């Protein structure tokens, strides 16, 4: 069990804050034209994300096991349809898919840690930064090597268990990351000369640039960044102390997560405009813009290395939450040790990850549906389909399927707040997600 409410917040925020905020949010927002996308994203976080996060935490804490077995017991206890158990299984699948590309991108960040530290970017211009990024992703050996190292670290920490490794890591590193982001925002504001252009890209409501697929991506990003829809938060909820308020905790986590994402955008977009780069640069956006900024800064090699170190840690505190549901289940099911379970889960995700590692080099021209590479496909299917679907099923189960007394006891809020949560969970969140699916796909 987490030692306190603060530790649960730290761990859940550690899961939520990761590459999704610093790497994925800016590039997805950039690809979808900024402003309107960001607004839809914020709407999804607070209207759909927070109530669903509350549902996930409460199911986890009521079940007190791995998501798969928690769902089995809650279904049995509530005399609900056994099909609800699909939530647990789908979640484990989504977890594998996400981790498989997550570890590859985290590997890039680790490589940048060392490149920054060696002063490779000192005084670099936009063309050099772009070339350096392409050189890394083209290098299969390097990409697979870093991917392997990141996965090994994830396995090692997950094998020690959620409490031991995690609490101490998150307690120090998350505030440090936050502090460095503040420094970067100030740097971007003072030196880029394009701070207002960056802000207006992020916050002006340019509806004509947004497509229905963009709306779907905003929703997918909301689920991804909050770690929702696959049981990660449910697995963490299983270790949450009984007397902690679920709804206010969920709101706090969402707020922290959102601030980090927005700050990251406020660092990156002014730099994009100042250096004549494309907002729709894609997955390389952060890896091209930030080294540029550090390259111009006094002491930039040092701060750059520290920054990528913190990004790596933010990624690890997220990746261990991606493996936790599957590990917890393996331990219960096969009565095996945590170490063995972590090795099996991490090994499988590593194997799938090779596909994403190859997507930027040897499999560059291998396209699946709609011209998507293996990486694109994993990312699209997990974030835009499996997570929202998993999230809706969680909401529907918490709203309709489960014994209502359990939700009342777990949430322990005033009748008014409870009714609001229940209404959003039963009607608003599911309708919104299905509407977006419908509009985006048809
Ligand atoms: N939220 C993390 C990020 O933004 C990624 C993540 C961790 C995640 N655990 C998850 C995403 C579970 C979806 C589901 O980087």
């Amino acid at each position: 069990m987490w030692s306190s409410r603060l530790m649960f917040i730290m761990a859940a925020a550690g899961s939520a804050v990761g590459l999704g905020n610093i790497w994925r949010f800016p590039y997805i927002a950039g690809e979808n034209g900024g402003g309107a996308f960001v607004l839809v994203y914020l709407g999804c976080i607070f209207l759909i994300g927070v109530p669903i996060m509350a549902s996930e935490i409460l199911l986890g804490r009521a079940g007190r096991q791995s998501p798969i077995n928690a769902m089995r017991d809650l279904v049995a206890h509530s005399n609900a349809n056994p099909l609800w158990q699909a939530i647990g299984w789908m979640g484990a699948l989504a977890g594998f898919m996400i981790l498989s590309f997550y570890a590859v991108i985290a590997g890039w960040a680790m490589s940048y840690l060392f490149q920054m530290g060696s002063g490779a970017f000192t005084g670099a211009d936009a063309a050099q930064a772009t070339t350096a990024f392409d050189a890394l992703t083209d290098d299969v050996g390097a990409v697979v090597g870093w991917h392997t190292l990141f996965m090994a670290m994830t396995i090692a920490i997950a094998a020690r268990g959620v409490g031991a490794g995690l609490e101490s890591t998150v307690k120090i590193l998350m505030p440090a990351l936050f502090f460095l982001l503040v420094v970067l925002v100030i740097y971007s504001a003072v030196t880029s000369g394009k701070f207002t252009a960056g802000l207006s890209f992020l916050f002006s409501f340019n509806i004509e640039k947004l497509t229905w697929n963009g709306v779907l991506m905003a929703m997918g990003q909301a689920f991804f960044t909050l770690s929702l829809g696959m049981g990660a938060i449910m697995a963490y909820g299983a270790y949450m102390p009984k007397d902690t308020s679920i709804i206010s905790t969920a709101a706090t986590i969402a707020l922290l997560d959102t601030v980090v994402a927005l700050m990251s955008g406020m660092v990156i977009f002014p730099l994009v405009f100042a250096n004549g780069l494309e907002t729709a640069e894609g997955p390389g956006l952060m890896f091209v813009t930030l080294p540029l900024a550090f390259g111009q800064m006094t002491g930039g090699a040092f701060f750059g290395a520290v920054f990528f170190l913190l990004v790596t840690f933010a990624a690890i505190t997220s990746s261990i939450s991606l493996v936790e549901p599957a590990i917890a289940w393996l331990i219960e099911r096969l009565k095996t040790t945590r170490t063995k379970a972590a090795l099996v889960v991490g090994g499988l995700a590593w194997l799938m990850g090779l596909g994403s590692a190859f997507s930027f080099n040897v499999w560059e021209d291998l396209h699946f549906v709609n011209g998507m590479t293996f990486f694109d496909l994993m990312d699209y299917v997990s974030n835009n389909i499996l997570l929202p679907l998993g999230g809706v099923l969680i909401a529907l189960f918490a709203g309709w399927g489960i014994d209502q007394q359990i939700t009342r006891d777990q949430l322990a809020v005033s009748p008014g707040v409870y009714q609001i949560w229940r209404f959003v969970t039963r009607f608003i969140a599911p309708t919104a997600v299905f509407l977006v699916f419908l509009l985006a796909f048809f």
Side-chain angles (χ1 to χ4, degrees):
M1 191 130 2
W2 308 108
S3 52
S4 64
R5 165 179 139 96
L6 184 65
M7 268 343 295
F8 176 81
I9 291 188
M10 287 260 191
S15 165
V17 175
L19 297 173
N21 308 63
I22 299 162
W23 161 72
R24 197 172 188 272
F25 169 74
Y27 103 73
I28 299 278
E31 282 182 340
N32 288 287
F37 172 93
V38 175
L39 197 69
V40 175
Y41 162 80
L42 292 175
C44 290
I45 295 266
F46 291 100
L47 291 179
I48 307 178
V50 173
I52 292 189
M53 186 184 281
S55 310
E56 239 192 278
I57 300 175
L58 89 79
L59 294 183
R61 194 167 71 177
R64 286 259 188 252
Q65 306 164 70
S66 69
I68 290 176
N69 287 335
M71 285 305 300
R72 187 198 55 203
D73 288 4
L74 291 173
V75 163
H77 173 94
S78 311
N79 282 324
N81 190 314
L83 280 176
W84 287 114
Q85 296 177 59
I87 292 174
W89 292 102
M90 250 177 53
L93 175 69
F96 276 108
M97 291 174 74
I98 294 174
L99 185 59
S100 73
F101 69 82
Y102 206 82
V104 173
I105 312 296
W108 295 353
M110 290 170 82
S111 153
Y112 267 72
L113 191 184
F114 288 93
Q115 293 189 57
M116 290 292 338
S118 73
F121 289 101
T122 310
D125 61 22
Q128 285 165 321
T130 311
T131 314
F133 175 71
D134 292 339
L136 169 66
T137 55
D138 281 346
D139 185 345
V140 196
V143 172
V144 172
W146 290 114
H147 162 61
T148 307
L149 186 61
F150 181 81
M151 202 63 94
M153 288 163 58
T154 301
I155 293 171
I157 298 186
R160 293 185 57 199
V162 180
L166 191 64
E167 287 203 4
S168 43
T169 322
V170 186
K171 196 158 51 185
I172 303 164
L173 295 172
M174 300 306 287
L177 178 69
F178 195 80
F179 174 76
L180 229 90
L181 268 175
V182 173
V183 172
L184 281 176
V185 172
I186 296 172
Y187 173 85
S188 205
V190 173
T191 66
S192 70
K194 292 281 189 209
F195 196 57
T196 31
L199 288 190
S200 95
F201 179 79
L202 272 175
F203 298 114
S204 56
F205 188 73
N206 39 3
I207 186 79
E208 69 283 355
K209 291 197 194 148
L210 193 64
T211 60
W212 282 113
N213 192 53
V215 174
L216 175 67
M217 290 176 82
M219 186 174 80
Q221 173 63 16
F223 279 95
F224 180 74
T225 194
L226 294 177
S227 302
L228 290 184
M230 62 141 297
I233 295 294
M234 209 189 284
Y236 278 18
Y239 311 109
M240 188 192 201
K242 178 76 190 88
D243 52 358
T244 307
S245 151
I246 290 180
I247 291 184
S248 64
T249 303
T252 309
I253 295 165
L255 197 68
L256 281 174
D257 186 85
T258 304
V259 171
V260 174
L262 292 179
M263 283 204 308
S264 175
M266 287 159 66
V267 174
I268 286 177
F269 286 110
L271 295 169
V272 167
F273 293 119
N275 291 287
L277 296 163
E278 292 289 327
T279 50
E281 166 87 24
L285 189 66
M286 150 183 137
F287 293 98
V288 173
T289 46
L290 295 187
L292 271 176
F294 288 120
Q296 318 284 313
M297 214 183 271
T298 22
F302 173 74
F303 287 117
V306 173
F307 181 80
F308 280 103
L309 180 73
L310 295 174
V311 170
T312 304
F313 277 106
I316 290 185
T317 57
S318 299
S319 65
I320 50 180
S321 77
L322 283 164
V323 287
E324 184 57 28
I327 291 178
W329 178 74
L330 273 184
I331 296 174
E332 291 162 6
R333 178 67 220 255
L334 303 177
K335 310 263 178 288
T336 181
T337 63
R338 202 164 234 289
T339 308
K340 283 194 194 129
L343 278 169
V344 170
V345 174
L348 275 174
W350 176 83
L351 205 64
M352 277 174 71
L354 291 180
S356 291
F358 295 158
S359 294
F360 297 90
N361 38 68
V362 285
W363 284 2
E364 205 168 16
D365 298 317
L366 185 63
H367 297 298
F368 297 82
V369 269
N370 275 337
M372 288 193 224
T373 62
F374 185 85
F375 162 80
D376 296 329
L377 189 69
M378 288 298 120
D379 179 286
Y380 193 92
V381 172
S382 55
N383 293 321
N384 299 339
I385 300 172
L386 291 179
L387 295 183
L389 196 60
V392 161
L393 291 176
I394 287 168
L396 288 173
F397 181 65
W400 300 91
I402 199 178
D403 173 358
Q404 205 187 335
Q405 198 51 44
I406 296 182
T407 60
R408 222 187 277 279
D409 291 347
Q410 287 292 340
L411 292 176
V413 280
S414 67
V417 176
Y418 181 76
Q419 285 312 325
I420 295 174
W421 169 81
R422 195 165 150 80
F423 185 72
V424 175
T425 316
R426 301 183 99 183
F427 301 104
I428 307 282
T431 313
V433 172
F434 280 122
L435 214 64
V436 174
F437 274 162
L438 220 67
L439 291 162
F441 294 128
F442 307 106

